[in-house]
Amino acid sequence: MSTTSERRAELLGAALGLTSTLDLDTVLEGLVDSGASLTGAAYAAIAVLDNRGAISTFVQHGIAPQTEALLERPHGGTGLLSAIPTDGYVIVDSIEDDPAFGGWPEHHPRMTNFLGVPVRVREQVFGQLYLADKSGGFTADDAHVIEQLATAAAVAVINARRYSDARNRERWVAVSQAITTKLLSGADEEEALAMIAAEVREVADADAALIVLPSVGDTWACEIADGAGSEDIIGAVFPPEGRALTVLANGVGMIVDSMSRARSLRVPQLGRYGPALYAPMISQGTGLGVLILLRFQGATEFTEAELGMGEAVAAQATLALELAAARHAQDVTSLLEERQRISRDLHDLAIQQLFATGMQLETARVAATAEPRTSWLAPTLEEALTSVDESVRQIRSIVHSLREPDTAVGLVERLRREASLARTGLGFAPSLLIAIDGVDVGGGDSVEVESSSAPSPHETVDARVDDDIADDVVAVVREGLANAARHARASSVQVRVDVRGAGPLGQVAVAVADDGAGVDRRSARRSGLDNLAVRARRHGGTFSLGTTATGSGTLLSWQVPLG
């Protein structure tokens, strides 16, 4: 058999070996090993390029492992690599004499000659294959052999990518099914979103996953985060002109090659990451949030296939928000229906009975006035009639407020609603107490006004607590009740809101205490607690989570100045 025939047989064997492999890393290693074997070169390497022409993966043959560990990855587009054409080949007989040579990197062994060819996948340069240090130099025949090997490698790369895409789709489908099962099981919004972030981060081989949701006022913030660095990002505000809200406004996802190289980074915490994927969470044309996947610097970029699958999962995250909103609406509807029933009972039963009692008292008063022996009863009966009339007026006022609950909803009423809505999750009614300057002025149904001279809780609280702080107070009470419902296994929960003073010297304090299992930071939603801390810091206040004075149960404390 001639040398040419032997070489062709060796090339065919190498090509068959490459195309029979479905793992991309194995394909690249086989390519450089076969290239060195076919040409007799001492050294071979493949530099895989990303969309910008930078080297994303580098595999080499012919350098000792201890030396390889000391070398930095070469940079694409510089030195002799820049001389490799997009089609054809280049042969350099003396590397150090070539004008494109830029010097040997530190620890790099010296080499004599060079052969470089492109590896093209679907007319696009996938990478640069090059060989060095062949005794006697490279020939055109060597170049043709390596070009044919590169063609076989391109087929192998396509097959490996298809196989990888199929495996990824299977993993994404499995995650999608798990998310659907979680949603159908009745999981609440935060639990479902936290599960989505964790599952998607793993299946996407991302280092962090974030979910950006509406926050205080018109701002948007990271409410859910999973993975490396997530503790620093929870609570971070995303500006209206940033990528996240731009994606939300356009309704189309986005791939970013590197956050660290961004010219303007409006969320500094993202600077530690490289590739990023943004997927909008949209329902019926309305943006509800943004799913962001992040990888560390130097990691491979996200692909269009991953973007498509990320957008599909973001749609499921949107479903989680919609289901939570629907459940909340159902709770509110049930509450309103209950108020309507109570108002009907008060109007149809209590008021009518009072009317009948009043008529009986009026008849008795007239009879007592006409009879001298019982005339002394007339003032007492008159006083009783006045009390009946006052009771009727009070009940009518209550009926009016029950039937029109949204005519003037202040902080006190909003807190009462939160307590009422929490009844479903807790299985019992929490206690709500509102105090002004140390005087209890009412709260839930179980609390009575202790002083008849106490100011109206609606008027005084709303006058001292502005809308911005009021929003945060409601959010704190809601989070405290939600955590008690999810994790405490409590039989009672007490909510106390204290308003003292006014203006810069005033303060509002919220305390949510339960008699449950105590603080378990592994089960308490980290993003929710951090969000409360952010809300406190925004007003120059404080937040803490600990145990109650009895040593059991949980005490959530939150206070901010009013000024």
Side-chain angles (χ1 to χ4, degrees):
M1 180 180 292
S2 66
T3 302
T4 302
S5 299
E6 291 176 352
R7 198 174 200 188
R8 287 176 179 174
E10 187 179 355
L11 174 61
L12 178 60
L16 290 174
L18 291 177
T19 54
S20 64
T21 302
L22 294 176
D23 179 70
L24 184 57
D25 291 337
T26 304
V27 169
L28 298 180
E29 291 173 1
L31 175 60
V32 294
D33 291 345
S34 297
S37 175
L38 285 168
T39 61
Y43 177 81
I46 172 71
V48 179
L49 307 180
D50 61 20
N51 294 333
R52 303 179 318 277
I55 296 175
S56 61
T57 304
F58 187 71
V59 179
Q60 54 189 332
H61 163 96
I63 288 186
Q66 58 270 28
T67 303
E68 184 176 354
L70 299 174
L71 294 174
E72 293 185 1
R73 177 185 293 179
H75 302 287
T78 61
L80 282 178
L81 294 185
S82 64
I84 299 176
T86 58
D87 194 9
Y89 62 88
V90 61
I91 293 177
V92 176
D93 293 326
S94 177
I95 293 177
E96 294 186 356
D97 294 333
D98 192 275
F101 178 64
W104 299 108
E106 188 177 3
H107 306 297
H108 197 291
R110 294 180 177 276
M111 299 179 179
T112 55
N113 41 42
F114 177 92
L115 165 63
V117 301
V119 179
R120 299 171 61 86
V121 175
R122 295 195 180 96
E123 303 305 318
Q124 182 178 1
V125 176
F126 166 80
Q128 295 172 320
L129 172 62
Y130 61 97
L131 304 95
D133 264 4
K134 177 186 177 180
S135 177
F138 294 100
T139 65
D141 187 49
D142 292 326
H144 294 320
V145 168
I146 295 302
E147 283 183 319
Q148 294 177 64
L149 183 66
T151 301
V155 175
V157 168
I158 292 173
N159 292 339
R161 282 181 168 178
R162 286 175 176 171
Y163 178 71
S164 178
D165 289 345
R167 291 292 302 273
N168 284 338
R169 276 193 293 272
E170 289 180 5
R171 295 170 62 201
W172 281 89
V173 167
V175 167
S176 178
Q177 291 173 342
I179 292 172
T180 301
T181 302
K182 191 75 171 179
L183 294 175
L184 293 177
S185 69
D188 65 18
E189 167 194 347
E190 293 166 357
E191 184 181 355
L193 292 179
M195 180 260 195
I196 288 172
E199 294 284 349
V200 172
R201 181 188 65 81
E202 183 175 353
V203 74
D205 293 325
D207 294 297
L210 319 177
I211 298 181
V212 178
L213 300 171
S215 185
V216 180
D218 296 330
T219 63
W220 291 70
C222 175
E223 298 284 356
I224 305 290
D226 184 84
S230 58
E231 299 85 359
D232 299 335
I233 306 177
I234 289 179
V237 175
F238 285 69
E241 66 277 12
R243 290 186 181 90
L245 296 191
T246 299
V247 163
L248 197 62
N250 296 336
V252 179
M254 174 191 298
I255 294 174
V256 178
D257 56 5
S258 179
M259 302 297 293
S260 62
R261 288 197 295 268
R263 293 182 179 178
S264 58
L265 194 61
R266 297 177 175 86
V267 184
Q269 296 93 321
L270 302 182
R272 67 170 69 97
Y273 300 102
L277 184 154
Y278 290 75
M281 298 160 55
I282 298 178
S283 173
Q284 298 178 357
T286 301
L288 302 181
V290 182
L291 171 65
I292 305 176
L293 300 177
L294 300 162
R295 289 172 179 162
F296 283 137
Q297 299 176 24
T300 57
E301 295 179 20
F302 290 97
T303 65
E304 291 294 333
E306 288 173 324
L307 176 60
M309 290 181 283
E311 288 175 326
V313 171
Q316 286 190 301
T318 305
L319 179 59
L321 294 175
E322 290 178 329
L323 288 176
R327 281 193 292 267
H328 180 72
Q330 184 179 18
D331 291 340
V332 172
T333 300
S334 299
L335 174 63
L336 294 178
E337 289 175 350
E338 180 68 8
R339 297 178 76 144
Q340 291 290 336
R341 184 191 64 78
I342 294 173
S343 70
R344 285 195 303 270
D345 289 347
L346 288 173
H347 183 271
D348 297 341
L349 300 177
I351 290 181
Q352 297 305 321
Q353 289 176 358
L354 285 172
F355 270 132
T357 303
M359 293 176 65
Q360 291 172 346
L361 288 172
E362 177 64 21
T363 301
R365 186 188 66 81
V366 172
T369 302
E371 176 59 48
R373 290 178 300 176
T374 57
S375 60
W376 59 274
L377 288 173
T380 303
L381 294 172
E382 182 69 31
E383 184 178 349
L385 280 169
T386 301
S387 296
V388 169
D389 290 341
E390 179 61 27
S391 296
V392 170
R393 282 194 294 272
Q394 289 179 356
I395 292 176
R396 280 177 171 168
S397 176
I398 293 173
V399 169
H400 178 74
S401 65
L402 287 172
R403 288 179 174 177
E404 299 183 24
D406 293 318
T407 53
V409 179
L411 176 58
V412 174
E413 180 61 22
R414 292 173 67 188
L415 292 174
R416 286 173 174 166
R417 290 189 184 185
E418 291 298 329
S420 296
L421 289 173
R423 183 194 303 261
T424 301
L426 290 169
F428 56 84
S431 171
L432 172 63
L433 183 66
I434 300 171
I436 300 176
D437 294 330
V439 178
D440 295 336
V441 295
D445 297 337
S446 61
V447 181
E448 296 180 357
V449 177
E450 295 185 355
S451 171
S452 60
S453 61
S456 164
H458 286 281
E459 297 175 359
T460 307
V461 171
D462 291 340
R464 298 190 188 186
V465 182
D466 64 34
D467 293 341
D468 189 21
I469 295 179
D471 288 342
D472 284 347
V473 169
V474 173
V476 171
V477 171
R478 180 184 303 151
E479 181 67 26
L481 292 172
N483 273 334
R486 282 193 295 267
H487 310 302
R489 299 189 297 278
S491 59
S492 69
V493 178
Q494 295 81 40
V495 178
R496 182 179 180 91
V497 179
D498 285 291
V499 180
R500 292 183 178 272
L505 299 180
Q507 183 187 66
V508 58
V510 178
V512 182
D514 63 63
D515 62 353
V519 179
D520 184 356
R521 295 188 180 273
R522 294 172 301 174
S523 59
R525 184 175 71 89
R526 179 68 184 170
S527 59
L529 299 179
D530 286 347
N531 194 19
L532 299 189
V534 170
R535 291 179 186 273
R537 287 197 302 270
R538 196 168 65 88
H539 299 291
T542 60
F543 162 73
S544 64
L545 184 71
T547 56
T548 59
T550 62
S552 62
T554 303
L555 175 62
L556 184 155
S557 300
W558 187 92
Q559 51 272 328
V560 298
L562 293 174

